[in-house]
Amino acid sequence: AAGWGADPQLQRFIEVETQKQRFQQLVHQMTELCWEKCMDKPGPKLDSRAETCFVNCVERFIDTSQFILNRLEQTQKSKSAFSESLSD
Amino acid sequence: MESGFGSDFGSDFGSGGGGGGKLDPGLIMEQVKVQIAVANAQELLQRMTDKCFRKCIGKPGGSLDNSEQKCIAMCMDRYMDSWNTVSRAYNSRLQRERANM
């Protein structure tokens, strides 16, 4: 029964689909978020001002996410001596 | 991390699945693809309905009137445009970061 469990083709498939799904999920999330920031009244077409706003919104959202990650990492590092003494 | 997910999923399924019968990986892949597509469509539908309801329905009246329907139709198209713009922007960001690594 473990035979196909290790099927490399299936494993590869799941890795790729998981990755794609993560991408899609974040696109859903950012579209919703940026819609609030960039869309006033939906017009007959997406004007260039709104389009620029969406692109900037995506870029700054990712920047924010990375900034927070970096800062948390940094604060963890500077606290590591302290937390080590706590966990021991 | 990702390979961990893949192998866990595989072995769980393999040991739990119907008594020794061979499951066709190709069939499973097809089913998973369909399920993912359905889930994505539902996700889009739900968020789109939420956003366009907020934009287009000021005070809910006795029926969905003509101007509200027009607004919703336009809103749906713009939401799709926005989704595609975000997808493209995110994709190009990923590409740039990959090139810088």
Side-chain angles (χ1 to χ4, degrees):
Chain A
W4 73 265
D7 186 336
Q9 193 201 357
L10 195 59
Q11 269 192 27
R12 179 82 194 119
F13 169 79
I14 288 166
E15 273 165 37
V16 169
E17 290 304 318
T18 304
Q19 206 57 42
K20 283 206 290 203
Q21 201 42 33
R22 257 185 219 155
F23 177 90
Q24 294 248 326
Q25 200 51 46
L26 197 54
V27 172
H28 283 304
Q29 192 194 338
M30 288 190 295
T31 304
E32 185 169 46
L33 209 71
C34 299
W35 176 269
E36 293 298 321
K37 303 247 180 236
C38 298
M39 191 56 72
D40 295 328
K41 264 251 168 272
K45 65 187 271 292
L46 196 68
D47 58 58
S48 64
R49 194 182 52 81
E51 187 148 356
T52 309
C53 180
F54 272 102
V55 173
N56 285 337
C57 179
V58 168
E59 295 283 348
R60 296 301 78 73
F61 181 81
I62 297 168
D63 287 348
T64 304
S65 155
Q66 289 176 348
F67 180 88
I68 287 174
L69 203 67
N70 284 339
R71 190 160 181 280
L72 274 177
E73 237 169 43
Q74 224 110 69
T75 45
Q76 281 309 105
K77 246 180 245 161
S78 64
K79 274 187 194 153
S80 67
F82 177 66
S83 52
E84 262 166 36
S85 67
L86 267 184
S87 62
D88 281 344
Chain B
M1 282 192 290
E2 256 121 54
S3 55
F5 176 75
S7 49
D8 286 353
F9 183 77
S11 54
D12 279 359
F13 236 58
S15 52
K22 280 245 178 207
L23 287 163
D24 176 14
L27 193 67
I28 291 172
M29 284 190 247
E30 265 326 296
Q31 286 173 347
V32 168
K33 277 200 165 178
V34 170
Q35 282 173 2
I36 288 172
V38 170
N40 272 320
Q42 281 174 340
E43 182 94 46
L44 182 68
L45 181 69
Q46 187 211 320
R47 292 181 194 238
M48 193 186 257
T49 305
D50 185 277
K51 293 298 161 199
C52 295
F53 180 83
R54 282 167 202 268
K55 287 275 185 228
C56 297
I57 315 294
K59 277 252 187 287
S63 72
L64 206 60
D65 68 39
N66 216 298
S67 71
E68 286 171 335
Q69 290 186 22
K70 270 190 195 140
C71 176
I72 293 167
M74 202 127 81
C75 176
M76 287 171 69
D77 293 345
R78 295 299 75 72
Y79 199 82
M80 281 314 306
D81 291 345
S82 306
W83 201 96
N84 288 324
T85 303
V86 167
S87 176
R88 255 181 280 123
Y90 180 29
N91 196 40
S92 76
R93 170 74 178 242
L94 287 179
Q95 227 110 78
R96 250 181 294 135
E97 288 190 352
R98 231 165 262 158
N100 286 337
M101 280 204 321

